Amino acid sequence: MTLLDVDFEFRYPPSTGSGEAGREGASVACRWRDPVGEPRVTVFLGASGSGKTTVLRCLAGLERPQRGHVRFGDHVWFDAERRVHLPPDRRDVGVLFQEYALFPHLTVAQNIAFGARHLTHAAVAARVGELLDTFRLRGLEGRRPRQLSGGQQQRVALARAVFRVPKLLLLDEPLSAVDRPTGDELREELRSLIRALAIPAYIVSHDRVDALTLADRTVLIDGGRIIQSGTTQEVFDHPASAAAARLVGVDTILLGRIAAVEDGLARIIVAGREVRAQAPAEAGHEAALCIRAEDVALARHDVTDSSVMNRWRATIVTETMEGPFVRVGLDCGFRLSALVTRDAWRRLALKPGDDAWAIVKAATIRSLPRN
Amino acid sequence: MDWVAIGLTVKLAALTTLVLAIVGLPLAYWLATTRRRWRAVVDAAVAVPLLLPPTVLGFYVLMSTGPNTAVGRLYERLFDATLPFSFTGILLASVLYNLPFAVRPFASGFASVDRRLIEAARCLGASGPRTFLTVVLPLSWPAVLAGLVLAFAHTVGEFGVVLMVGGNIPGVTRTIALAIYDDVQALDYAPANEASALLVVFAVAVLGVTYSLQRRALPL
């Protein structure tokens, strides 16, 4: 099995006025080994300035670390001791740049075919045609990038990156260039395209929604270091540190399987419990559910005569004062966080160890499709 | 009109521009993209002729290429000729003197090309030279053309450097600017007037071309 073996340290150079100000002396160090035989998607999640883009640039060969190595199977891409540093054009990686970096002087078809080497005209035309179909760009091949919408630009950039079928796909903040509603749409599209391509992908993002919807594995980056990595489920369920918890968000994120969909409402099974929420996909698919603590209400007894769809029996685990509120940690079979007023908490007279009911309106749950 | 001098001047300007394209384009690209500390030193060295009197540059070219210098001896052994007072000599001096007039517009044009486009091309398998030809040059050609036009025009109007290195040999190193000077010295004002008018028209035309190039947006 092909293995991506990464272990390097990159130190930012003294300021050269090239937009890296404030990073002198900082470094990015990472170390991981990944089997890349199967087309998995890994998301590097980190705040801006955490060094996640630098990791990607070191993989692509756009930056040269000072120490360590990067090996892809038998190929040595970088080895500081042996003074090996393959330039990007000899690494066979496909890169999707932030804001796409399409060539403004070339047409859509010319952009897509930019990577063509040693191919006949007919072979290039055939491959371009194939990609135009896959990426739904038919009819746009003669346009210039500035005549395209954000979504079309993203598809052109991706088609261009995979023209030569790279060994790895590297995506730098693929959704940061567009506004939120468009971003949600593009994310959907990106998800299905990446799946269809079946090339191992590394995605850099500051948005946990990207990890939740796209990633098989999530790697958390903070201060130039990997602070946690694992399956997306593990990482979001059990952030190992305060910094990790900040990145994945303190509120509840549940991953489950859609058991049934009826009138747009889904029954989603999470850790054996049933959650009702707006259906993000067809039955049988996976879903990620985001529940904000302020949307979770507590009751001593089951409330059967209300409109609320989600009522779960829970055990109180923790209570933390937060100003006028109390943050209550619950165990419903999955972990759940509730934010209630101090007044209400006093009236309920509950304490850790007690049993209670957690109540969540289906409409307040943000449900996202997952692979 | 001294057609021999005009022909020689055009030949000198054309060859100077050609050499500057071959030497100056890679040099400018390096200046625009490198992150090495050396950059500032090279940048300054290229700019020196802007501040130096042409006679000073010509003087040093003359001194360093004479038959008793290392450069002069090497050149004599290779080509069986001497550099001072020859056409090749004034070509060399012209190239040095015009370096900033070509390299600076080139470099500013290259620097304005989005770095991510260059990186994208490299990640798509294009080598450095290929990236330069297929991405950088098509996106910066107005600046490149402006640099070439400026270098050509500046060579046409050159006086001090050519006089120092080339002397004033008709048909070999006597350019139009030198011919005008000679004519005036000989109180022969009519041909000086004609040649001068020609140069004025040429200069105005060149300025018009460069300004319109600089104002021209990228060809998208």
Side-chain angles (χ1 to χ4, degrees):
Chain A
M1 173 163 290
T2 314
L3 197 72
L4 178 66
D5 179 2
V6 178
D7 180 0
F8 66 76
E9 182 175 2
F10 174 84
R11 287 185 291 277
Y12 291 99
S15 183
T16 52
S18 63
E20 300 273 18
R23 283 191 163 185
E24 303 99 273
S27 74
V28 172
C30 347
R31 186 172 179 175
W32 81 87
R33 292 155 76 91
D34 251 355
V36 282
E38 70 231 55
R40 287 198 308 183
V41 178
T42 305
V43 167
F44 283 85
L45 188 60
S48 67
S50 60
K52 55 192 189 304
T53 295
T54 302
V55 174
L56 208 69
R57 292 175 61 82
C58 288
L59 281 185
L62 294 168
E63 302 287 352
R64 181 176 187 154
Q66 281 79 6
R67 186 191 67 68
H69 63 257
V70 178
R71 298 189 197 109
F72 186 89
D74 300 333
H75 303 273
V76 177
W77 282 355
F78 167 71
D79 193 319
E81 275 170 28
R82 289 160 56 190
R83 305 182 71 82
V84 175
H85 176 70
L86 288 192
D89 44 305
R90 293 180 53 200
R91 294 196 182 195
D92 208 359
V93 294
V95 182
L96 187 76
F97 284 84
Q98 233 180 97
E99 289 153 48
Y100 314 131
L102 295 175
F103 302 123
H105 59 299
L106 300 179
T107 64
V108 166
Q110 288 168 332
N111 264 282
I112 293 175
F114 189 87
R117 297 282 180 285
H118 315 300
L119 289 176
T120 63
H121 265 294
V124 171
R127 178 73 177 139
V128 168
E130 200 180 306
L131 290 167
L132 287 172
D133 287 334
T134 310
F135 290 87
R136 296 189 293 107
L137 292 163
R138 272 280 174 220
L140 303 176
E141 51 268 49
R143 294 224 192 145
R144 306 272 170 169
R146 69 182 167 95
Q147 298 168 305
L148 301 176
S149 72
Q152 290 165 342
Q153 287 185 23
Q154 186 193 60
R155 298 205 297 271
V156 174
L158 206 53
R160 182 180 73 171
V162 300
F163 183 91
R164 300 189 306 160
V165 193
K167 295 196 184 89
L168 276 187
L169 205 49
L170 307 174
L171 298 88
D172 188 5
E173 296 274 11
L175 301 163
S176 68
V178 289
D179 54 49
R180 181 114 210 177
T182 320
D184 288 345
E185 228 169 87
L186 289 191
R187 189 179 293 112
E188 265 307 293
E189 200 162 81
L190 192 62
R191 199 166 65 95
S192 55
L193 287 174
I194 290 176
R195 288 290 146 186
L197 291 169
I199 298 168
Y202 290 89
I203 302 175
V204 152
S205 174
H206 68 278
D207 189 346
R208 61 191 158 115
V209 174
D210 289 345
L212 284 167
T213 52
L214 301 170
D216 300 307
R217 287 171 56 77
T218 296
V219 177
L220 303 181
I221 296 206
D222 188 46
R225 302 291 181 274
I226 292 176
I227 56 171
Q228 194 177 351
S229 67
T231 67
T232 300
Q233 176 96 54
E234 281 163 19
V235 171
F236 277 84
D237 273 359
H238 305 289
S241 60
R246 259 198 307 282
L247 277 176
V248 303
V250 285
D251 295 355
T252 307
I253 286 152
L254 304 172
L255 304 181
R257 178 168 289 274
I258 302 169
V261 176
E262 208 174 299
D263 292 335
L265 196 69
R267 287 196 290 118
I268 299 153
I269 307 303
V270 180
R273 306 294 285 267
E274 193 180 289
V275 179
R276 311 291 293 268
Q278 186 178 1
E282 302 288 306
H285 286 75
E286 307 255 316
L289 305 171
C290 307
I291 305 175
R292 297 190 305 168
E294 53 265 47
D295 291 330
V296 180
L298 295 175
R300 287 192 73 97
H301 306 285
D302 192 7
V303 191
T304 51
D305 57 348
S306 83
S307 66
V308 182
M309 306 285 287
N310 294 302
R311 310 187 311 275
W312 304 308
R313 181 170 264 297
T315 308
I316 312 269
V317 184
T318 57
E319 58 173 315
T320 319
M321 299 304 153
E322 279 186 15
F325 301 107
V326 182
R327 184 174 291 274
V328 184
L330 301 159
D331 182 359
C332 313
F334 47 83
R335 300 282 304 223
L336 185 66
S337 186
L339 198 64
V340 299
T341 59
R342 282 186 186 229
D343 247 11
W345 184 241
R346 256 195 305 276
R347 243 180 315 109
L348 284 170
L350 289 167
K351 59 181 187 309
D354 290 351
D355 281 341
W357 288 79
I359 302 166
V360 183
K361 283 172 56 124
T364 63
I365 298 177
R366 176 150 193 233
S367 54
L368 304 161
R370 244 185 80 76
N371 307 295
Chain B
M1 195 84 84
D2 187 346
W3 290 106
V4 175
I6 291 174
L8 184 83
T9 306
V10 170
K11 183 177 150 198
L12 176 66
L15 284 175
T16 301
T17 309
L18 180 69
V19 173
L20 281 173
I22 295 166
V23 177
L25 286 173
L27 177 60
Y29 190 50
W30 183 82
L31 281 173
T33 54
T34 190
R35 291 190 219 165
R36 291 178 193 276
R37 283 157 198 268
W38 269 94
R39 205 201 81 92
V41 178
V42 176
D43 203 13
V46 168
V48 162
L50 286 177
L51 304 174
L52 232 43
T55 42
V56 172
L57 188 86
F59 175 70
Y60 281 118
V61 171
L62 194 60
M63 287 295 101
S64 57
T65 57
N68 294 324
T69 65
V71 176
R73 273 200 298 269
L74 181 69
Y75 187 81
E76 191 163 358
R77 190 185 297 168
L78 289 176
F79 301 104
D80 195 24
T82 52
L83 276 173
F85 312 114
S86 72
F87 182 77
T88 319
I90 59 172
L91 178 61
L92 172 71
S94 282
V95 166
L96 288 176
Y97 188 57
N98 280 292
L99 209 53
F101 292 94
V103 166
R104 293 173 76 86
F106 293 170
S108 74
F110 297 157
S112 69
V113 173
D114 188 346
R115 205 184 170 91
R116 276 176 308 188
L117 296 179
I118 297 169
E119 293 182 340
R122 296 304 303 274
C123 289
L124 289 164
S127 62
R130 194 189 166 91
T131 300
F132 179 75
L133 290 175
T134 56
V135 175
V136 178
L137 215 46
L139 289 173
S140 58
W141 69 264
V144 170
L145 200 54
L148 293 175
V149 169
L150 269 177
F152 185 91
H154 200 247
T155 309
V156 167
E158 205 169 82
F159 183 80
V161 171
V162 178
L163 187 61
M164 286 301 276
V165 179
N168 190 355
I169 306 166
V172 179
T173 62
R174 190 162 88 146
T175 61
I176 186 135
L178 296 183
I180 291 169
Y181 180 73
D182 274 357
D183 290 339
V184 172
Q185 290 289 299
L187 301 178
D188 199 356
Y189 286 177
N193 198 0
E194 279 172 17
S196 297
L198 185 72
L199 282 188
V200 168
V201 170
F202 175 71
V204 169
V206 164
L207 276 180
V209 169
T210 32
Y211 272 91
S212 72
L213 280 178
Q214 274 164 0
R215 223 175 310 157
R216 187 182 167 127
L218 288 178
L220 302 182

